[in-house]
Amino acid sequence: MENGNISKHSTFYVVGLSYKKADADIRGKFSLDDVGKKNVLKQAQQEGIESLLVTSTCNRTEIYGFAQHPFQLIKLLCDNSQGTVEDFQKVAYIYKNQEAVRYMFRVGTGLDSQILGDFEIISQIKSAFTESKSMNLVNAFIERLVNSVIQTSKRIKNETEISTGATSVSFASVRYIFSHVDDIANKNILLFGTGKIGRNTCENLVKHTKHEQITLINRTKDKAERLARKLDLVVKDYSDLQLEIQKADVLVVATGAQNPTVDKAILNLKKPLLILDLSIPKNVNENVTTVDGVTLVHMDHLSQITDETLENRKKHIPAAEVIIEEIMDDFMAWTKQRKFAPTIHALKKKLNSIKESELSVQRKKLSNFDEAQAELISARIIQKITNHFASHLKDDTTMVDESIEWIEKIFQIETSSK
């Protein structure tokens, strides 16, 4: 394989946007819920895309896949989100072939996470892989790549300390609440929505507060009840939201909706309220800040918190990068070998054909022709010849495409990959 490309007709790309250049509003426009991701896959099937994965988290939305041009993948994203091509061009990134492979390794191992060492993204990649595979949108390249990234993630977790210490958006949320709300032990906390970050935040709050302080509300009540049973909390109906907000001193919003679920119209406050919006797209309308006593903090602000834990994690980046390079080198070697393997197979078949033709001539010429000896010697010669060609193609300095073309031309062979 040359530069990570396994096809002469398509290229491996990653197209997407992340917290690095896209703010929460823009990320919200391109965010894809489960239905949106499914629609991307369906459209990809209709448009003849060979293989791709779709991930959409609070911090990034990305498509990894094969295309003749990256715009094919960009179009899939824009067609199924609220984002436009113009918006995409302002904040997005496009990587191809080996660069795209390296990027996926960094994302999947937490090195590109908004909070260094946050490995939540690897579960998103696994889910994306499962979804794509169920729709026959995973080829051997992406399957091997995902498995290699998962293996790398496990090794970095086990062999480095890059994810040690309590540092995450949910932990930062709790720390923010404790540092900005006086007498928290006697204040009421309302969690609206039970998304992943919301659940983690809730669990962190339970560790540091009294259970009776926390109330859960979710559009689907049984989800809230499951979490409430686990943590021994109170659950209220969605219809009680406005009333419960009035009682709350802190409102944590993590609904995962595509549009704001809280705005000033439902705020009839009698005391100050701190609102933490842990959602992408934003689930709290900015107009709440016009209400007296309201403080609104978004997840991006919480993610910027740096402390000793993060500084310690940075020390382990070199060790993590060594592991990435080791497994990525194995992956690139596999892809390179996979590309020239059909040519080596065809070459061996051609040489065997020449051998059979020559042995047939010698059988007729020689009365004492030693069939077994001739077979053994010629087979060893053919193996040595093909090994030489394989070694040449494996060499890092070899231009694989040109060499394959040369071999196929000289020996007048064709491979099944064409």
Side-chain angles (χ1 to χ4, degrees), residues 288-299:
V288 301
T289 58
T290 64
V291 178
D292 288 342
V294 169
T295 302
L296 174 62
V297 178
H298 192 261
M299 184 178 65

Side-chain angles (χ1 to χ4, degrees), residues 342-395:
T343 299
I344 294 297
H345 179 75
L347 173 62
K348 198 168 188 178
K349 187 176 180 181
K350 179 74 174 189
L351 293 175
N352 274 308
S353 175
I354 294 171
K355 177 201 75 172
E356 291 299 333
S357 177
E358 185 58 31
L359 291 184
S360 179
V361 171
Q362 295 305 320
R363 284 189 200 99
K364 295 173 183 176
K365 281 185 177 181
L366 304 173
S367 58
N368 60 342
F369 180 66
D370 190 333
E371 182 88 29
Q373 190 70 8
E375 188 71 42
L376 177 64
I377 293 171
S378 56
R380 288 176 63 101
I381 291 172
I382 289 172
Q383 189 60 49
K384 287 182 181 294
I385 292 171
T386 53
N387 284 347
H388 274 286
F389 279 108
S391 295
H392 167 73
L393 291 169
K394 286 178 183 177
D395 193 288

Side-chain angles (χ1 to χ4, degrees), residues 154-373:
K154 287 179 180 177
R155 279 194 56 188
I156 288 175
K157 281 183 186 177
N158 294 333
E159 298 175 25
T160 78
E161 297 179 21
I162 204 166
S163 61
T164 56
T167 300
S168 64
V169 172
S170 57
F171 180 75
S173 303
V174 174
R175 194 166 59 178
Y176 187 93
I177 292 170
F178 273 75
S179 62
H180 288 80
V181 180
D182 294 331
D183 192 26
I184 188 65
N186 294 306
K187 297 295 172 67
N188 295 320
I189 302 169
L190 173 61
L191 175 66
F192 177 36
T194 53
K196 177 70 174 179
I197 293 177
R199 292 196 305 273
N200 289 344
T201 301
C202 192
E203 289 175 2
N204 275 315
L205 285 168
V206 166
K207 292 177 184 176
H208 303 287
T209 63
K210 293 178 292 185
H211 294 203
E212 60 267 25
Q213 287 176 255
I214 305 173
T215 300
L216 302 183
I217 292 180
N218 195 61
R219 286 180 182 273
T220 308
K221 192 176 181 181
D222 64 332
K223 288 185 178 179
E225 288 175 336
R226 285 198 295 271
L227 181 59
R229 283 194 295 271
K230 177 183 176 184
L231 300 176
D232 188 23
L233 303 175
V234 176
V235 176
K236 295 289 185 178
D237 291 330
Y238 176 63
S239 59
D240 295 326
L241 179 63
Q242 190 167 1
L243 178 62
E244 292 301 321
I245 289 176
Q246 287 181 27
K247 298 178 184 178
D249 298 287
V250 178
L251 170 61
V252 179
V253 182
T255 64
Q258 292 299 300
N259 297 297
T261 54
V262 174
D263 64 21
K264 71 175 185 178
I266 66 170
L267 300 185
N268 183 20
L269 304 182
K270 297 178 175 61
K271 57 183 176 178
L273 178 66
L274 170 62
I275 304 177
L276 302 185
D277 186 358
L278 307 184
S279 312
I280 294 290
K282 290 180 178 178
N283 283 181
V284 180
N285 196 314
E286 293 287 340
N287 66 18
V288 301
T289 58
T290 64
V291 178
D292 288 342
V294 169
T295 302
L296 174 62
V297 178
H298 192 261
M299 184 178 65
D300 275 3
H301 174 76
L302 297 169
S303 298
Q304 291 166 6
I305 295 175
T306 58
D307 62 6
E308 186 179 350
T309 299
L310 282 178
E311 290 306 311
N312 286 335
R313 288 184 177 190
K314 289 178 183 178
K315 298 175 186 176
H316 302 284
I317 290 176
E321 288 178 334
V322 168
I323 295 172
I324 288 175
E325 288 302 316
E326 179 185 333
I327 299 179
M328 184 174 161
D329 284 348
D330 288 344
F331 174 77
M332 299 307 292
W334 172 81
T335 55
K336 192 173 184 180
Q337 184 168 345
R338 188 170 184 269
K339 185 170 188 178
F340 66 69
T343 299
I344 294 297
H345 179 75
L347 173 62
K348 198 168 188 178
K349 187 176 180 181
K350 179 74 174 189
L351 293 175
N352 274 308
S353 175
I354 294 171
K355 177 201 75 172
E356 291 299 333
S357 177
E358 185 58 31
L359 291 184
S360 179
V361 171
Q362 295 305 320
R363 284 189 200 99
K364 295 173 183 176
K365 281 185 177 181
L366 304 173
S367 58
N368 60 342
F369 180 66
D370 190 333
E371 182 88 29
Q373 190 70 8

Side-chain angles (χ1 to χ4, degrees), residues 37 41 51 73 80 117 142 209 214 278 309 315 342 363 410:
K37 286 184 278 191
L41 297 178
S51 181
L73 304 182
N80 294 283
I142 283 186
T209 63
I214 305 173
L278 307 184
T309 299
K315 298 175 186 176
R363 284 189 200 99
I410 294 295

